[in-house]
Amino acid sequence: MFFVSECKTEQRQKRVLTLGISHESNTFSVLPTKESEFNVLRGSDVLKGQLWADVFKKAGVEVIPTLHADAWPGGVVERAAFENFKKEILDSLKKAGHLDGIYMDMHGALHVEGYDDAQATLIKEIRDVVGNDVLISGSFDLHGNPSPDFVKYINLMTAYRTAPHRDAAETKVRAVQMLVDAMNSGWKPDIQYVVIPILVPGEKSITEVKPLHHIYVQLPGVAKMEGLLDASIFAGYCWADLPRSAMRVFVVAKDKKYSTEAKNEAIRLAKLIWDKRKEMVLDVPSGSIDEMIKKSEEYKEKTVFISDSGDNTTAGAPGDNTQVLDALLRNKVKNALIAGIVDPEALKGCIDAGYGKNVRLKLGGKVDNVFGKPLEINAKVLFLSPDPIMKTDRGVAVVETNGVKTVIIKSRRSFVGINDFKEAGLNPLDFKIVVVKLGYLFPELRDIAPVHLIALTSGFCNLDIRTLPYKNVHRPSYPLDPDMVWEPL
Ligand SMILES: [Zn+2]
């Protein structure tokens, strides 16, 4: 009887359930992230156009997609949002029947009000339903902070190997391919890791430049070593005042018999990173906004992108700080663009005034009233999104004040690609100065920007993290404790 049942198991189509709650939660921000801010996909919509879904299809795996929720980086996630998502996932899991695997599509820096570690709670409750035999694989943004409490419940994991991110799709493919291979081969994977006590912003841990470039490029080679499946370096997320905020190296072994090799590689990579900690600095010139405006004059004829880094909406800041607009007007800069300032009220003011009209606006400073305040300007309305778009969250107005154009946006997002400018009727390269609410430039802009400068503005994503009011991060941590001694063990 045992033999017959074994044969049936071998021939049966593998079944995998998928889920995801992706968020980068800035614990310093005063603006909580609400359920309505999540883009939620369910059922077959989850799989549309996803390369990772094709991996399952090709392998003949039956996929049960549940809830995949994803929101723009922001403040801590409201408790009800997480609990509703979690309940829906667990309810689906309980109804799913026999499963061989679970794929978790995560960011890794989720933090929820009222929870010490919501990601660990989620995966533990999943384990409580499915037991320990179902393989769980996860893909992550390298800016995640997955804790030891989370990792003890997962079997396979991998993270982006590029920042700015260029490999999201292939990372997810890798996580799914590992899961398929592990299900088919009967591997019992083991994850070895080292937590490195370094807090570093993404802008100082870019993978395309030294010192991290030559370490990240080693990851595919490590993953190909005998008995190993994958290797990841998490730069972590430093704008989360949590004990789990740190850099990490993870190495996944096929089986416990390769755990020593995995551990040795994790230690080796961690040591390389630790030894380079003092070289993790910004890769472009930086300074106060006034200094960066002055510096832009050095680059004659060239468009200069300036990041308003303290109000970086891709790292969770509110995006309505007007300090850079104020500085441009104060310095009487002409031919500059600010993309953009979040202010639905001011946007409505522009719509009410109408195209080509002058309007008096009390702009920004409504959400971030810690580092910013509203700026009163007289402006001319130069552009309004056409009607179908204006009704969506992507509605914008472009106004001009004394040679400075400002894009006023309805809801929190960033101008990360060329299309964001196109939608507002703009070509960034037409301007002398383009201000973006980013830290590093995202790939499309990085590739076209003739010059990039980082303004060290104040805000919830302050790049000088030594000034942040940390209370809960692990101490000692570099650079808060600059002289600390550490050995990866
Ligand atoms: Zn990221």
Side-chain angles (χ1 to χ4, degrees):
M1 279 305 286
F2 178 74
F3 178 72
V4 173
S5 127
E6 274 287 289
C7 276
K8 271 187 187 162
T9 308
E10 285 305 313
Q11 286 160 8
R12 188 180 40 76
Q13 185 185 25
K14 300 284 192 247
R15 300 183 82 234
V16 166
L17 180 137
T18 76
L19 62 103
I21 306 179
S22 276
H23 194 247
E24 189 174 83
S25 313
N26 183 319
T27 66
F28 296 108
S29 173
V30 289
L31 184 66
T33 301
K34 298 185 178 66
E35 186 168 351
S36 59
E37 291 175 63
F38 280 84
N39 178 38
V40 180
L41 296 177
R42 298 177 169 89
S44 58
D45 286 345
V46 168
L47 308 175
K48 274 182 201 155
Q50 296 295 333
L51 293 176
W52 62 261
D54 296 343
V55 176
F56 283 132
K57 199 174 169 188
K58 206 169 146 200
V61 173
E62 182 187 348
V63 183
I64 303 153
T66 67
L67 173 141
H68 286 236
D70 181 12
W72 198 251
V76 171
V77 173
E78 286 188 342
R79 187 180 185 124
F82 172 68
E83 291 183 345
N84 289 340
F85 295 155
K86 177 163 72 69
K87 183 176 185 311
E88 189 174 328
I89 290 166
L90 292 172
D91 286 349
S92 302
L93 200 60
K94 286 169 194 161
K95 285 188 228 142
H98 176 85
L99 290 172
D100 301 283
I102 291 174
Y103 166 52
M104 297 181 79
D105 178 8
M106 303 292 282
H107 177 286
L110 171 72
H111 188 56
V112 178
E113 62 179 9
Y115 284 81
D116 288 337
D117 188 348
Q119 293 176 141
T121 302
L122 174 67
I123 195 167
K124 182 187 179 301
E125 292 188 21
I126 289 170
R127 276 284 177 225
D128 288 344
V129 176
V130 301
N132 291 327
D133 293 338
V134 174
L135 287 168
I136 304 182
S137 181
S139 60
F140 299 84
D141 185 310
L142 63 82
H143 296 126
N145 291 322
S147 68
D149 279 344
F150 176 88
V151 175
K152 70 183 176 193
Y153 295 111
I154 200 163
N155 307 101
L156 299 152
M157 61 190 295
T158 190
Y160 301 167
R161 291 170 178 170
T162 60
H165 307 315
R166 298 175 190 266
D167 64 335
E170 67 187 77
T171 301
K172 293 172 192 204
V173 163
R174 213 161 51 234
V176 167
Q177 190 65 58
M178 274 199 293
L179 178 59
V180 168
D181 293 346
M183 287 189 305
N184 288 336
S185 60
W187 297 332
K188 299 262 180 268
D190 180 53
I191 298 175
Q192 294 291 322
Y193 62 91
V194 176
V195 179
I196 314 166
I198 294 177
L199 294 161
V200 65
E203 287 63 33
K204 295 181 181 177
S205 52
I206 288 177
T207 62
E208 295 176 5
V209 294
K210 60 177 194 181
L212 290 184
H213 177 70
H214 92 276
I215 306 176
Y216 269 91
V217 294
Q218 296 181 33
L219 296 178
V222 174
K224 282 198 192 94
M225 288 170 64
E226 195 196 336
L228 304 186
L229 293 173
D230 199 82
S232 304
I233 298 168
F234 282 68
Y237 180 66
C238 69
W239 292 293
D241 183 16
L242 299 167
R244 60 181 176 274
S245 297
M247 290 188 78
R248 290 174 167 77
V249 178
F250 291 92
V251 180
V252 185
K254 269 180 198 166
D255 188 276
K256 272 206 160 38
K257 72 178 179 184
Y258 297 105
S259 295
T260 305
E261 284 82 352
K263 187 79 183 175
N264 288 343
E265 279 304 300
I267 289 173
R268 185 183 70 78
L269 292 165
K271 185 155 173 40
L272 286 178
I273 292 164
W274 178 254
D275 289 346
K276 295 287 180 190
R277 67 195 179 282
K278 289 182 183 162
E279 290 173 41
M280 286 189 235
V281 292
L282 297 176
D283 71 328
V284 297
S286 63
S288 72
I289 181 59
D290 287 286
E291 285 166 354
M292 294 302 96
I293 290 171
K294 181 126 194 57
K295 188 157 189 67
S296 66
E297 292 166 14
E298 292 173 18
Y299 307 96
K300 309 227 181 292
E301 311 295 320
K302 284 186 179 167
T303 297
V304 177
F305 281 71
I306 299 180
S307 287
D308 179 1
S309 62
D311 197 24
N312 175 3
T313 43
T314 65
D320 77 335
N321 194 306
T322 54
Q323 56 189 310
V324 175
L325 174 58
D326 184 44
L328 290 170
L329 295 173
R330 215 173 359 90
N331 284 282
K332 299 192 177 6
V333 175
K334 303 293 173 200
N335 198 24
L337 172 69
I338 299 221
I341 290 175
V342 186
D343 192 334
E345 223 172 274
L347 178 65
K348 188 172 179 311
C350 295
I351 297 168
D352 291 346
Y355 173 79
K357 295 289 181 339
N358 292 314
V359 63
R360 176 129 188 106
L361 297 172
K362 220 176 176 180
L363 185 62
K366 289 160 192 149
V367 179
D368 174 5
N369 49 20
V370 179
F371 299 99
K373 57 178 192 296
L375 184 69
E376 293 202 32
I377 54 166
N378 290 314
K380 186 174 183 179
V381 181
L382 299 183
F383 176 89
L384 293 167
S385 299
D387 232 0
I389 297 174
M390 192 56 103
K391 288 198 172 70
T392 71
D393 282 349
R394 295 191 71 82
V396 305
V398 180
V399 300
E400 179 166 3
T401 305
N402 298 335
V404 178
K405 286 182 182 161
T406 303
V407 188
I408 302 172
I409 53 183
K410 191 189 268 179
S411 65
R412 227 167 42 78
R413 63 185 171 96
S414 295
F415 279 56
V416 294
I418 294 158
N419 195 47
D420 296 316
F421 291 89
K422 256 192 199 159
E423 273 186 5
L426 298 163
N427 174 0
L429 299 180
D430 288 343
F431 295 86
K432 173 63 196 167
I433 290 179
V434 180
V435 177
V436 279
K437 299 250 181 209
L438 298 174
Y440 59 58
L441 297 181
F442 278 45
E444 274 189 14
L445 300 187
R446 193 173 170 91
D447 293 344
I448 64 156
V451 182
H452 179 216
L453 307 175
I454 292 186
L456 301 173
T457 46
S458 53
F460 298 111
C461 295
N462 199 320
L463 278 175
D464 184 359
I465 63 165
R466 292 168 306 176
T467 66
L468 293 173
Y470 285 117
K471 290 191 190 78
N472 304 308
V473 291
H474 176 81
R475 300 298 289 268
S477 277
Y478 184 83
L480 307 183
D481 304 291
D483 301 323
M484 66 177 285
V485 177
W486 181 76
E487 276 288 328
L489 288 173

